[in-house]
Amino acid sequence: MIVVTGATGQFGRQVIEHLLLRGVPADQVVAAARTPAKAAGLAALGVEVRTAEYDRPETLSAAFAGADKVLLVSSTGSDVTRIAQHRAVIDAAAKCGVGLFAYTSVTRAPTNPMGLARVHRATEQAIADAGLPAVVLRNGWYTENHTAALPGAVARGTLAGSAGDGRIAFATRADLAEAAAAVLTLDDQAGKTYDLTGDTAWTLPELAAEAAAQSGTPLTYTDLPAEQYRQILHQAGLPDPAVDLIVDADVQISHGALDHVTGDLTTLLGRPATPLSTTVAQTLRA
């Protein structure tokens, strides 16, 4: 039995859908969710839905009962909260004796300078300390992290950021979810680590040019000092934690934090990763 946490989120839901597409029987898949009612669509597919709240450890043992494999989809929130939540999941999985524990980390976790990598390094260490048979999925930067802003940017004629000419080996959420499903259906995965990136690294000026070409509307990338970009995001109504994450990510991108390309994602998918141009087209059509 395979248990997927965060099952009502965009990533977890797609992992479950790909497990079913790969032929895993629905009655061998568990959608673990904080709010089971939100997983009604998965339940309709025959997937068992169980309550799993990271802040209520007593729900986790029941959620993992009978599990051969567990995928921990990293939570959101402050570093302290997330680390505590992840440790609760790890402890429950260890007590249940799961055969394989998978975790969605971040690319280049041990040396990644982004602030968000701190949680992933701590979680990877906690997994190792628990002695769990584990596979680590170091996910690259979601393509959607930047393409989501394109419709508004096209309307304004400018895409703003603080990433300079730093390159990003974008990977779509769907591709990364499919890769996770692939790993969960393969044998002998314990002890493996995958660094999952797209096949090509792009700059934000190149992203703007691609969107301009596809939309037929002039669009340029405007590089801003970090504090100015921070102010714009605040004015747009984003909460402080989100602003801090976005600005820090862009600054670190400008220093090369996400410019590397590996073949791990393509290998797991058995095909090329979804190109940026495809996601741009889908975003603009939507």
Side-chain angles (χ1 to χ4, degrees):
M1 182 177 292
I2 301 173
V3 178
V4 178
T5 73
T8 57
Q10 294 183 69
F11 187 86
R13 174 180 53 77
Q14 290 187 70
V15 172
I16 290 174
E17 290 170 350
H18 280 293
L19 286 172
L20 300 179
L21 287 172
R22 295 181 71 86
V24 178
D27 62 3
Q28 292 301 304
V29 179
V30 172
R34 182 175 59 184
T35 308
K38 293 182 178 179
L42 293 172
L45 297 175
V47 172
E48 181 180 355
V49 179
R50 297 179 181 175
T51 300
E53 292 192 38
Y54 294 159
D55 292 323
R56 292 176 56 208
E58 68 273 14
T59 68
L60 299 175
S61 294
F64 299 161
D68 301 302
K69 301 176 181 180
V70 170
L71 171 64
L72 167 57
V73 178
S74 57
S75 63
T76 59
S78 70
D79 285 9
V80 172
T81 297
R82 295 175 71 193
I83 291 171
Q85 291 174 335
H86 292 177
R87 284 177 175 160
V89 173
I90 292 164
D91 289 345
K95 289 177 183 177
C96 290
V98 301
L100 182 70
F101 188 86
Y103 173 62
T104 59
S105 186
V106 68
T107 182
R108 281 180 169 170
T111 59
N112 192 313
M114 290 181 168
L116 62 84
R118 291 189 296 267
V119 167
H120 297 296
R121 282 193 290 271
T123 302
E124 287 191 23
Q125 186 60 54
I127 293 169
D129 292 344
L132 281 169
V135 56
V136 179
L137 307 172
R138 290 180 177 159
N139 287 346
W141 201 240
Y142 286 170
T143 310
E144 296 86 352
N145 287 346
H146 279 100
T147 57
L150 288 180
V154 169
R156 293 187 301 271
T158 182
L159 175 68
S162 295
D165 290 322
R167 292 193 169 275
I168 310 165
F170 290 113
T172 66
R173 182 183 286 107
D175 278 359
L176 293 168
E178 184 177 345
V183 167
L184 291 169
T185 57
L186 293 172
D187 296 326
D188 302 320
Q189 294 300 295
K192 294 188 176 182
T193 297
Y194 295 95
D195 200 313
L196 304 167
T197 74
D199 298 335
T200 305
W202 294 68
T203 66
L204 293 190
E206 289 170 343
L207 170 60
E210 178 67 28
Q214 291 201 30
S215 67
T217 302
L219 176 63
T220 58
Y221 172 66
T222 302
D223 196 59
L224 301 171
E227 285 309 310
Q228 186 176 348
Y229 187 35
R230 185 182 301 276
Q231 291 173 10
I232 289 175
L233 295 174
H234 275 304
Q235 291 169 0
L238 273 67
D240 287 347
V243 171
D244 291 342
L245 186 152
I246 293 169
V247 174
D248 173 71
D250 263 28
V251 170
Q252 298 306 331
I253 286 168
S254 74
H255 297 152
L258 298 176
D259 63 359
H260 63 294
V261 173
T262 77
D264 288 0
L265 181 58
T266 295
T267 298
L268 287 173
L269 295 176
R271 59 168 173 80
T274 302
L276 180 62
S277 58
T278 298
T279 308
V280 170
Q282 293 169 344
T283 303
L284 294 178
R285 282 200 304 270

